[in-house]
Amino acid sequence: MRRTSIAMLSLATLLALAAAAARAGTEQRAADPGVTPTSLLLGGTTPLSGSASAYAAVARGADAYFKYVNARGGVFRRKVSYTYVDDAYNPAQTVQATRQLVEQDHVFAIFNSLGTEHNLAIREYLNAAKVPQLFVASGATTWGRDAAKYPQTVGFQPSYQAEGWVYGKFLARTKPRARVAVLAQNDDYGRDLLVGLKRGIQRSPVRIVAAENYEVTASDVRSQIAKLKASGADTLAVFATPKFAIQSYVYANRLGWRPLVINNAVSSASNIMQLASEGGTNKTVNGSVSVAFLKDPTDPEWRNDAAIRLYRSIMARYARGASPKDVYHVYGMAVAYTLVDVLKKAGATVTRAGVLRQARSLTIPANPFLLPGIQIKTEGADQFPIEQVLLQRWQSRGWRSFGGIWGFRAT
């Protein structure tokens, strides 16, 4: 009988066997949930129904971009699967759906979940479970400010406080005698914007003369707008989601009120503004001011832009029936592009820890879906990915940017 002993094996064979064992051990240690040699599973929540259902386009845009990437081989031959679940913009449903995604679906990470209170409701759970909470679709200042306390959580868009500060500085410079009325959602999102606005008008004659809150479960903001008009304000700051932002314009117009409207970025998409304009009859809409960091697919300036052409082709193939005019789809693609960049930099052996390291040290000088000059960067204690915006003014039927890029250090 022929017998083979370890002693009879060549040194080269032994070394090869040892290397293979080491690789197998590394692969076994790296087998985080949601990862296989051919796939990576992401999960998230978004309001497919309810008062904030306009934001469903954010998830659709991201999903379409991942499908585009998958059709070209994926990332290191892994297809990125993205499961997004309806939470109806209800934090309690966000918690339930997120637990299901983590504990039953075994996702690699929670990605692009939308809403401030909604992401706050799941942050402690995800950080305790060491599940990455990547590129939160909310501008709450806490995502960057409290990064050391919640290392699994990474934001994306400009912080609401920084956005409010830009509006305040704009008013202080261009309308120093402004009397401002504020409509704000009664949560951390609305409060963050108001805090930023107050900081921006410090040491200026601009005054906030009235402020009204609304609940996300409210049917309308008719009474709030009536009270704000009665304050004698000549400027209205709308820190509200699309449904209530549209109502603000409509009710102000019906009351014959023509203030300068500062409309926060989350409700400034061109398709939302078109609805608010009521077919061009609402005179309150014209002259509104907001901020932008995304390319607007309805803006003639980007008609022949390579990224917007790619955007339209992706939408036509992977999001059939969805409106390519909706800038929230562009947002979704911008954040998906960023995650793909992170996955590429994390390497072929993908782990949660490795992806988080890359997300915490980002440098993307030119995400193609962002406006030129706006970069994505995280490093050290500064964990606010986007800290640049452009001011824009609504003229006739579209936004027109003015001035240069506003840079800020979020706090």
Side-chain angles (χ1 to χ4, degrees):
M1 184 173 68
R2 186 176 180 181
R3 302 175 63 184
T4 304
S5 68
I6 292 179
M8 295 172 63
L9 296 176
S10 70
L11 178 60
T13 303
L14 286 171
L15 291 173
L17 289 170
R23 284 196 300 272
T26 299
E27 290 170 2
Q28 186 175 5
R29 288 193 300 272
D32 282 335
V35 183
T36 75
T38 59
S39 67
L40 185 142
L41 179 60
L42 304 172
T45 58
T46 198
L48 300 177
S49 63
S51 64
S53 59
Y55 294 139
V58 172
R60 282 197 301 267
D63 186 53
Y65 187 78
F66 288 137
K67 288 175 178 174
Y68 160 78
V69 170
N70 291 341
R72 282 149 183 78
V75 183
F76 293 111
R77 299 183 180 180
R78 286 189 183 91
K79 301 293 179 69
V80 180
S81 298
Y82 175 35
T83 299
Y84 54 94
V85 181
D86 183 19
D87 65 2
Y89 207 57
N90 181 334
Q93 293 187 40
T94 307
V95 171
Q96 181 181 0
T98 300
R99 284 186 173 274
Q100 178 177 323
L101 288 166
V102 171
E103 297 170 16
Q104 297 180 32
D105 298 340
H106 304 293
V107 298
F108 175 78
I110 295 297
F111 166 75
N112 197 36
S113 284
L114 190 140
T116 298
E117 299 303 312
H118 316 76
N119 278 287
L120 287 172
I122 59 177
R123 180 169 63 174
E124 293 279 358
Y125 164 70
L126 293 174
N127 276 264
K130 291 185 168 46
V131 177
Q133 187 180 11
L134 294 175
F135 304 134
V136 169
S138 155
T141 306
T142 182
W143 313 132
R145 181 191 61 208
D146 301 321
K149 184 177 179 181
Y150 300 102
Q152 304 291 323
T153 305
V154 185
F156 184 72
Q157 68 195 69
S159 86
Y160 295 138
Q161 282 193 26
E163 181 183 349
W165 175 86
V166 170
Y167 297 140
K169 286 298 182 184
F170 164 74
L171 290 173
R173 294 178 186 180
T174 65
K175 197 175 180 181
R177 299 294 173 182
R179 293 168 55 81
V180 185
V182 179
L183 176 73
Q185 187 162 295
N186 190 23
D187 60 11
D188 285 349
Y189 146 60
R191 285 188 285 273
D192 257 4
L193 280 156
L194 182 55
V195 166
L197 177 66
K198 289 178 177 179
R199 287 178 178 172
I201 64 174
Q202 282 180 348
R203 294 182 293 278
S204 83
V206 177
R207 292 291 176 265
I208 296 174
V209 298
E212 290 287 329
N213 292 329
Y214 73 89
E215 303 298 331
V216 296
T217 54
S219 60
D220 63 63
V221 291
R222 185 191 303 264
S223 64
Q224 288 92 330
I225 295 299
K227 291 176 183 177
L228 294 174
K229 178 183 183 295
S231 71
D234 57 20
T235 303
L236 171 62
V238 177
F239 299 152
T241 52
K243 171 184 172 180
F244 300 106
I246 292 170
Q247 289 183 3
S248 299
Y249 281 112
V250 171
Y251 294 140
N253 186 54
R254 290 179 184 174
L255 292 169
W257 189 22
R258 302 286 185 270
L260 167 65
V261 180
I262 304 292
N263 184 9
N264 63 166
V266 302
S267 295
S268 67
S270 293
N271 53 304
I272 301 300
M273 297 298 289
Q274 293 289 356
L275 290 171
S277 70
E278 300 181 279
T281 63
N282 190 327
K283 304 304 181 185
T284 306
V285 173
N286 208 40
S288 295
V289 171
S290 189
V291 298
F293 57 96
L294 298 162
K295 291 176 180 175
D296 184 343
T298 69
D299 189 337
E301 181 177 356
W302 309 116
R303 183 178 293 116
N304 296 315
D305 177 75
I308 293 301
R309 289 202 308 270
L310 174 63
Y311 160 79
R312 291 195 188 100
S313 70
I314 292 173
M315 290 296 296
R317 181 160 188 179
Y318 300 109
R320 292 175 183 173
S323 172
K325 296 181 179 180
D326 191 337
V327 74
Y328 298 138
H329 289 128
V330 181
Y331 179 101
M333 289 199 192
V335 71
Y337 176 96
T338 303
L339 182 63
V340 169
D341 183 86
V342 165
L343 292 174
K344 289 177 179 177
K345 291 175 179 174
T349 304
V350 63
T351 65
R352 286 171 167 173
V355 165
L356 276 169
R357 278 195 300 272
Q358 294 301 324
R360 291 288 185 201
S361 56
L362 277 172
T363 300
I364 305 178
N367 181 314
F369 302 107
L370 301 186
L371 292 169
I374 293 180
Q375 63 178 345
I376 298 174
K377 189 175 182 65
T378 55
E379 61 178 352
D382 186 1
Q383 290 295 316
F384 295 90
I386 300 176
E387 295 181 296
Q388 297 163 303
V389 294
L390 277 174
L391 279 167
Q392 56 182 0
R393 183 178 286 111
W394 185 263
Q395 296 177 341
S396 297
R397 299 181 65 83
W399 289 109
R400 297 292 179 269
S401 61
F402 63 93
I405 288 178
W406 286 67
F408 47 83
R409 180 66 181 268
T411 57

